[in-house]
Amino acid sequence: MRTYLVTGGAGFIGSNYIHYMLKKYQDEIRIINVDKLTYAGNLENLKGVEGRGNYTFIKADICDSGAIRRIFAEYDIDRVVHFAAESHVDRSIRDPEVFVKTNVLGTLVMLNAAKEAWELPDGTFKEGKKFLHVSTDEVYGSLEDENAYFYETTPYDPHSPYSASKASSDMLVKSYMDTYRFPANITNCSNNYGPYQFPEKLIPLIIHNALQGRKLPVYGDGKNVRDWLYVEDHAKGIDMVQEKGRLFETYNIGGHNEKQNIQIIHIILDTLQEMLPEEDPRRELVSEGLITYVEDRKGHDRRYAIAPDKIKAEIGWYPETKFEDGIRRTIQWFFEHEEWMKNVTSGDYQKYYEEMYCGK
Ligand code: NAD
Ligand code: TYD
């Protein structure tokens, strides 16, 4: 049975990936989820898989090399899928240090532990071992020309402390591939949306605030463009890269779905109006009047857009979910998970670990 070590599996994309993988492979794989449970880690995201014999959660910090080495010693890890990171640009502007610690040093710890466990005496690596580093398109910087796209060959030009820390982590992974022929891939993905996303990011924040009749903050002129990808498509892309991709390669994963932030907000408001039942009192609250232009984000990148040509040509992956469908599914999920949102916004989700794992 193949064993996956997933870091950051209690976060947004990591938890969606774990659900995707356990649904697809059922009992054919085993998943070890290693997460520090920062404010962004929520074990309630994984309620559906807890108790399965082939799923194990371990609370650990990826910067703690002793703890990570012990995990490699205890389990014969075949695949690493490395999601764990500090992921929010606004937080990185306020407090860059933890971004460097987790995203750069934490990645180095993961690389060293995997290298140590997988390397043979002759300097080659055990058959079939693979490390996938999950990164972002933000490492490529900002596109000013509206016909330009990010390709795997686009030079790195990060602007925020977040993207600079992710770019640094990518460079470390590249250096391990180049220096040691360490068996890895890097994926650089565009903005994700979908179930379990923490409401500090644009889409869940707008859905949550609109349903409560709270202001919808728009940074700057609202015309910054992001390329939105449904999270399940990302999970599928990661799996396909590990299964079919060429080792040592980078693959960009993008939605081909560019939208200005203000367009996203209007789509969410319209979709909420359409989906809320006639008698639901929240219909009164959801209104364009909530849109509030606020001070721009410092160093705000204007446009991100990925051309996912390479992954399509080599691996056959493409973004399957149309935005109209993905946003409806996401809104429906939030309708059905009011308790999840309540726990997240009140902070109660952090008690879940204590209750479930009794401080183990
Ligand atoms: P997230 O913030 O929702 O989750 C991050 C997870 O990592 C949390 O569970 C957190 O507890 C854990 N974590 C943080 N620091 C840790 C540490 N020191 N040790 C162990 N665990 C730690 O993030 P996300 O949106 O799910 O993003 C996952 C990955 O995908 C990140 O590497 C991010 O850079 C990348 N990415 C995200 C997006 C996006 O749109 N969200 C797009 C492209 C790439
Ligand atoms: P975000 O979801 O934070 O992702 P990222 O910064 O990694 O792309 O933000 C998406 C876009 O939405 C970005 O251009 C900033 C903007 N934004 C707002 O206008 N208002 C908000 O409240 C937030 C959180 C983001």
Side-chain angles (χ1 to χ4, degrees):
M1 191 195 278
R2 188 188 281 169
T3 301
Y4 286 74
L5 192 170
V6 175
T7 70
F12 162 49
I13 306 176
S15 57
N16 276 284
Y17 171 78
I18 291 175
H19 284 296
Y20 174 84
M21 292 295 281
L22 288 176
K23 193 166 162 209
K24 178 171 177 193
Y25 294 101
Q26 295 287 323
D27 295 331
E28 288 168 31
I29 61 166
R30 173 188 185 101
I31 292 188
I32 316 290
N33 172 17
V34 175
D35 199 297
K36 183 184 176 182
L37 299 183
T38 67
Y39 79 93
N42 183 352
L43 285 181
E44 287 192 40
N45 299 358
L46 293 155
K47 262 184 181 166
V49 299
E50 250 157 28
R52 282 180 67 150
N54 58 340
Y55 167 77
T56 305
F57 172 70
I58 299 174
K59 185 171 190 245
D61 185 338
I62 56 163
C63 299
D64 179 347
S65 62
I68 300 299
R69 278 209 189 99
R70 279 194 294 280
I71 294 166
F72 275 92
E74 184 170 351
Y75 300 94
D76 182 15
I77 304 293
D78 299 298
R79 301 284 169 90
V80 173
V81 182
H82 177 39
F83 294 98
E86 287 292 334
S87 70
H88 193 211
V89 174
D90 292 327
R91 287 179 189 257
S92 82
I93 294 168
R94 268 189 286 133
D95 179 17
E97 199 170 314
V98 66
F99 283 73
V100 174
K101 277 193 187 136
T102 290
N103 299 1
V104 186
L105 292 177
T107 298
L108 186 67
V109 166
M110 291 306 303
L111 289 167
N112 280 335
K115 179 173 173 289
E116 213 175 274
W118 294 347
E119 200 169 22
L120 294 166
D122 67 359
T124 61
F125 289 88
K126 291 180 190 164
E127 189 72 25
K129 306 292 187 187
K130 290 183 185 178
F131 187 108
L132 190 140
H133 176 62
V134 179
S135 191
T136 166
D137 61 354
E138 303 191 21
V139 298
Y140 298 120
S142 181
L143 293 164
E144 301 305 324
D145 172 354
E146 64 181 38
N147 296 313
Y149 290 92
F150 295 138
Y151 292 92
E152 288 78 0
T153 49
T154 303
Y156 275 28
D157 184 22
H159 300 296
S160 71
Y162 163 66
S163 53
S165 68
K166 291 297 290 188
S168 311
S169 65
D170 292 11
M171 292 301 171
L172 280 171
V173 179
K174 281 180 203 284
S175 78
Y176 271 56
M177 295 194 282
D178 292 346
T179 307
Y180 310 109
R181 296 296 282 166
F182 178 76
N185 287 104
I186 298 171
T187 54
N188 295 88
C189 189
S190 62
N191 286 61
N192 284 219
Y193 70 99
Y196 304 113
Q197 189 165 27
F198 196 84
E200 64 185 354
K201 305 276 167 59
L202 182 70
I203 288 183
L205 183 137
I206 297 299
I207 296 172
H208 177 64
N209 282 15
L211 288 170
Q212 306 240 324
R214 292 209 207 143
K215 286 182 179 167
L216 310 177
V218 183
Y219 298 169
D221 65 2
K223 293 186 178 159
N224 298 65
V225 170
R226 297 292 181 265
D227 173 4
W228 294 96
L229 177 70
Y230 192 61
V231 64
E232 204 177 291
D233 289 347
H234 185 190
K236 183 174 182 180
I238 287 171
D239 182 40
M240 286 176 79
V241 166
Q242 274 206 325
E243 290 311 300
K244 300 186 181 170
R246 285 181 293 137
L247 265 182
F248 315 115
E249 291 291 317
T250 288
Y251 293 93
N252 284 351
I253 306 184
H256 249 325
N257 175 46
E258 292 169 56
K259 297 218 174 343
Q260 293 180 345
N261 296 334
I262 192 68
Q263 285 178 296
I264 293 284
I265 293 172
H266 282 297
I267 293 170
I268 292 174
L269 291 173
D270 292 348
T271 314
L272 283 173
Q273 282 294 354
E274 202 187 299
M275 290 176 70
L276 281 167
E278 282 294 322
E279 64 289 357
D280 195 309
R282 292 174 298 182
R283 283 183 78 98
E284 297 287 308
L285 301 174
V286 174
S287 123
E288 301 206 340
L290 299 173
I291 294 175
T292 309
Y293 285 87
V294 299
E295 194 185 331
D296 206 357
R297 174 186 278 173
K298 287 187 170 66
H300 197 174
D301 285 338
R302 193 63 176 168
R303 174 171 164 259
Y304 302 143
I306 276 184
D309 299 2
K310 177 173 169 182
I311 190 169
K312 185 161 188 225
E314 284 192 16
I315 296 177
W317 179 92
Y318 64 96
E320 277 171 57
T321 310
K322 290 199 189 78
F323 190 71
E324 309 87 88
D325 300 332
I327 199 69
R328 289 181 74 88
R329 271 199 245 166
T330 305
I331 289 173
Q332 186 61 37
W333 187 90
F334 279 108
F335 282 168
E336 288 164 8
H337 292 79
E338 277 185 61
E339 193 67 16
W340 181 93
M341 185 58 96
K342 227 165 67 198
N343 288 343
V344 165
T345 46
S346 69
D348 278 354
Y349 69 106
Q350 288 175 323
K351 292 182 195 148
Y352 186 78
Y353 172 75
E354 288 304 323
E355 283 164 18
M356 279 303 297
Y357 291 84
C358 310
K360 266 184 244 166

